[in-house]
Amino acid sequence: MGNTIRGIIAFFPSNTCQKYLLGDLEEMPIDKMVDLSSMQLRRFPLRVCAFTELIKLYLSDNNLSSLPPELELLQNLQILALDFNNFRVLPPVVCSLKQLSILYLGNNRIRDLPQELNYLKNLHTLWIESNYLTYLPVVVCDLPLLKTLHIGCNPIRNIPRELKNLTELRSIWISGSLLTEFPPILLEMIFLEVIDVDRNGIRFFPSLVHLTGLKLVIYDHNPCRNAPKVAKGVRRVGRWSEETPEPKKRFEVEAELEKAAESKELQPTAPNEPPVLTGDNPEETTSTQI
């Protein structure tokens, strides 16, 4: 069935049209997963709410802008994918799914997150990239088990200090945002393993050597004049990373040239020149074999 036909049928909310779109979805799948991605859905099929043992529900790449209260029946749901839809706000019913561990909200039109998000105490992965967020909602910092946070491709200019409350956080992805400086709060989060600030406006990177948990830092496509210094074994992705040495500063180059010039002056220029003194005793000399 082509996407064009699905799109036309999706305009009609009748049960017959829904059945045509959903096919043979009549009973609980053995793997406890329902994937309705790319179905051109404009409203959520209520009969899915009868599968109360459902663990994974994928609704990606549809035309959804709301979800029914009946979704609350899916209290065993652990993974919910709502990315690539038309949500302007997070449907309140999502915050009632207290077993959620992974929530995909990327590529929607969300400008903020409700305070009720902190009901999701088991959430450990949150994707909310490519939305309309101009700041990181502080409620995200109330998710005690959050380990991975994707907030890139939002017009975010700074990160709140409350992020430090996320002591379980290991990966933060803020690429494609409007940061003009490296977020200071990240310097206090020594347990971070992955930091991605690719494609921002950061002009200078502070030292990250003290972040003992760090394994990867991505800083490419920033107008920076230096690479972040990291501890041994940490991978850097960006200009002047391990593959390309950082450019030396002008005074360092001049110092090296001056040192080389002095060294050259001390070296013998002809076989018959007197030996160079090397010790405090004028009688101690070294000879050069030519």
Side-chain angles (χ1 to χ4, degrees):
M1 187 194 316
N3 285 336
T4 301
I5 298 177
R6 289 186 187 279
I8 294 173
I9 294 176
F11 271 104
F12 301 95
S14 68
N15 290 332
T16 302
C17 290
Q18 277 204 40
K19 185 173 181 180
Y20 187 66
L21 287 170
L22 302 179
D24 298 326
L25 186 61
E26 297 289 348
E27 57 185 31
M28 177 72 184
I30 297 177
D31 58 4
K32 299 183 179 181
M33 178 185 77
V34 169
D35 187 353
L36 299 176
S37 300
S38 304
M39 300 289 288
Q40 300 293 320
L41 296 176
R42 293 180 178 272
R43 70 186 183 103
F44 180 76
L46 286 177
R47 57 174 155 162
V48 173
C49 298
F51 306 149
T52 55
E53 298 300 314
L54 203 63
I55 293 178
K56 303 175 183 179
L57 176 58
Y58 296 93
L59 298 169
S60 306
D61 191 25
N62 281 293
N63 295 306
L64 297 171
S65 58
S66 63
L67 294 174
E70 289 82 356
L71 191 73
E72 186 177 5
L73 297 173
L74 305 182
Q75 284 300 312
N76 290 296
L77 207 60
Q78 296 178 18
I79 300 177
L80 177 60
L82 301 175
D83 48 326
F84 292 94
N85 276 283
N86 293 318
F87 293 104
R88 295 180 180 272
V89 297
L90 179 65
V93 67
V94 173
C95 299
S96 70
L97 304 174
K98 298 182 180 180
Q99 296 303 315
L100 276 185
S101 60
I102 301 177
L103 178 58
Y104 297 97
L105 297 174
N107 291 274
N108 279 283
R109 302 179 183 182
I110 297 173
R111 295 181 180 274
D112 199 358
L113 293 173
Q115 187 60 35
E116 290 76 13
L117 185 74
N118 63 11
Y119 294 164
L120 304 181
K121 301 299 185 185
N122 290 307
L123 200 66
H124 66 69
T125 300
L126 176 61
W127 293 64
I128 193 166
E129 77 286 0
S130 299
N131 274 278
Y132 295 168
L133 297 173
T134 57
Y135 60 93
L136 175 63
V138 177
V139 66
V140 172
C141 304
D142 294 333
L143 302 172
L145 299 183
L146 197 65
K147 294 181 181 296
T148 301
L149 177 59
H150 287 259
I151 55 174
C153 297
N154 281 289
I156 293 175
R157 296 182 180 275
N158 53 63
I159 303 298
R161 290 196 56 81
E162 288 83 354
L163 191 75
K164 190 178 179 181
N165 297 337
L166 299 178
T167 56
E168 294 298 318
L169 192 66
R170 296 297 178 265
S171 303
I172 184 165
W173 308 79
I174 328 175
S175 63
S177 295
L178 298 179
L179 301 176
T180 56
E181 66 171 344
F182 187 83
I185 190 59
L186 299 186
L187 298 175
E188 301 180 31
M189 302 175 70
I190 60 173
F191 38 78
L192 284 174
E193 297 179 357
V194 177
I195 299 175
D196 178 10
V197 288
D198 182 28
R199 292 181 292 119
N200 276 278
I202 301 174
R203 295 185 175 276
F204 175 79
F205 279 93
S207 173
L208 306 181
V209 173
H210 66 288
L211 299 183
T212 54
L214 197 60
K215 298 178 180 178
L216 170 66
V217 56
I218 305 173
Y219 64 95
D220 209 7
H221 304 101
N222 279 280
C224 55
R225 297 182 179 180
N226 72 310
K229 296 185 183 299
V230 295
K232 185 177 180 180
V234 179
R235 185 185 176 200
R236 298 184 300 179
V237 177
R239 297 177 66 192
W240 317 310
S241 62
E242 288 84 355
E243 293 76 14
T244 306
E246 291 186 37
K248 294 181 179 179
K249 297 178 181 179
R250 182 177 178 181
F251 74 86
E252 292 177 337
V253 174
E254 291 176 348
E256 288 191 4
L257 290 174
E258 188 176 322
K259 185 176 180 181
E262 291 177 355
S263 176
K264 186 175 182 180
E265 290 177 358
L266 294 176
Q267 291 179 359
T269 57
N272 295 327
E273 285 187 356
V276 179
L277 297 179
T278 60
D280 294 334
N281 188 343
E283 295 180 358
E284 291 182 1
T285 62
T286 56
S287 60
T288 305
Q289 301 294 328
I290 303 297

